């Protein structure tokens, strides 16, 4: 394991080109992505990315993680021109910040993304989103997120408000997002700026400018053409572009 990625994140207002020229949220054909590591690394080099992180979906019963890590280690050895991080994306399984990942998996990672994907109902099952009101959706996602920020062994909070956005095609209420960003500063957990789960990108950036959290840049890439998407979007907004 290299130095955990957490130590390298910078705060939003300090972002330079070198900090945004990366993509730290990628999925491969090992889970629900379309491309394999080789093709992704090759394309990342072509796109001029300085750093990428493979952050596959894992669960507590995932058996292939060690083997996958070994495959990635080989690839990064033969591509020294780009920094390749090995990580995972794990979901919250309760409101206390427990992750759907084993300690062995976490220990093999350079970077761990924590996220809310489903709403555990406390009995080992998950709540059907369609039974919830819009307010309940926001509140439960918020509580699960707070658990991650308070206690989970994570470096990055992936796609905050993402489930709410996917269901309503609008961002989680701004006061909730503001509290999430503020809370992230307590344990210096980076909040992900992403291109897949935000309705109003500019509004999210203005909140980042207000709270100035540590940030991670991730496209949640599932197919190659999405690689570096978040970097390119930030650049359009003038973030990390040196005078
Ligand atoms: Zn996710
Ligand atoms: Zn993802």
């Amino acid at each position: 394991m290299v130095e955990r990625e957490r130590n390298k994140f910078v705060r939003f207002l300090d972002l330079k080109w070198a900090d945004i020229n990366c993509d730290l949220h990628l999925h491969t054909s090992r889970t629900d992505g379309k491309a394999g590591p080789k093709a992704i690394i090759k394309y990342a080099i072509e796109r001029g990315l300085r750093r990428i992180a493979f952050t596959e979906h894992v669960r507590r019963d995932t058996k292939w993680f060690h083997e996958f890590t070994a495959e990635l280690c080989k690839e990064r050895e033969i591509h020294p021109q780009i920094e390749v991080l090995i990580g995972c994306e794990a979901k919250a399984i309760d409101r206390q910040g427990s992750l759907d990942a084993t300690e062995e998996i976490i220990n093999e990672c350079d970077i761990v993304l924590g996220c809310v994907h489903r709403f555990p109902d406390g009995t080992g099952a998950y709540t059907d989103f369609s039974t919830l009101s819009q307010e309940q959706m926001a509140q439960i996602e918020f509580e699960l997120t707070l658990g991650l920020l308070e206690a989970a062994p994570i470096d990055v909070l992936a796609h905050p408000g993402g489930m709410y956005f996917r269901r309503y095609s609008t961002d989680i209420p701004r006061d909730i997002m503001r509290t999430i960003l503020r809370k992230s500063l307590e344990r210096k957990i980076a909040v992900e700026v992403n291109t897949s789960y935000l309705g109003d990108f500019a509004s999210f950036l203005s909140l980042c400018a207000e709270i100035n959290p540590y940030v991670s840049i991730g496209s949640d890439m599932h197919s190659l053409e999405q690689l570096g998407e978040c970097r390119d979007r930030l650049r359009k907004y003038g973030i990390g572009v040196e005078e």
Side-chain angles (χ1 to χ4, degrees), residues 87-100:
C88 71
E89 177 179 18
K91 70 176 180 294
I93 50 171
D94 58 31
R95 295 180 200 197
Q96 286 75 47
S98 306
L99 288 181
D100 199 356

Side-chain angles (χ1 to χ4, degrees), residues 35-159:
K38 239 184 220 314
I40 293 171
I41 293 173
K42 186 170 169 273
Y43 192 50
I45 293 168
E46 277 173 37
R47 302 267 284 117
L49 287 159
R50 189 175 72 93
R51 247 154 87 224
I52 55 172
F54 289 95
T55 55
E56 276 300 17
H57 299 288
V58 293
R59 300 198 316 208
R60 287 188 172 181
D61 60 4
T62 294
K63 298 279 185 265
W64 45 259
F65 197 74
H66 183 70
E67 175 198 316
F68 185 58
T69 300
E71 182 188 338
L72 292 175
C73 282
K74 268 189 213 153
E75 288 300 328
R76 75 171 161 195
E77 256 169 49
I78 54 177
H79 297 99
Q81 62 273 58
I82 185 167
E83 189 182 352
V84 176
L85 301 170
I86 298 170
C88 71
E89 177 179 18
K91 70 176 180 294
I93 50 171
D94 58 31
R95 295 180 200 197
Q96 286 75 47
S98 306
L99 288 181
D100 199 356
T102 60
E103 225 178 289
E104 287 78 9
I105 291 175
I106 301 293
N107 288 340
E108 278 202 88
C109 290
D110 306 317
I111 177 170
V112 176
L113 273 51
C115 65
V116 176
H117 275 163
R118 306 179 73 186
F119 293 175
D121 70 0
T123 72
Y126 295 99
T127 304
D128 179 351
F129 288 169
S130 69
T131 64
L132 301 172
S133 69
Q134 196 157 347
E135 290 69 31
Q136 286 171 319
M137 257 317 270
Q139 185 60 27
I140 297 172
E141 183 157 13
F142 177 55
E143 287 170 15
L144 287 162
T145 302
L146 285 188
L148 288 171
L149 290 175
E150 276 163 12
I154 60 172
D155 305 294
V156 177
L157 174 68
H159 52 69

Side-chain angles (χ1 to χ4, degrees), residues 8-23:
K8 296 188 194 165
F9 288 117
V10 303
R11 296 180 73 170
F12 181 77
L13 294 173
D14 297 326
L15 285 173
K16 301 275 188 297
W17 174 243
D19 305 307
I20 72 161
N21 188 19
C22 61
D23 200 327

Side-chain angles (χ1 to χ4, degrees), residues 142 145 149 157 160 176-184 191:
F142 177 55
T145 302
L149 290 175
L157 174 68
I176 290 184
M177 192 67 99
R178 180 180 283 112
T179 308
I180 289 172
L181 298 192
R182 282 214 180 106
K183 191 80 193 170
S184 74
V191 173

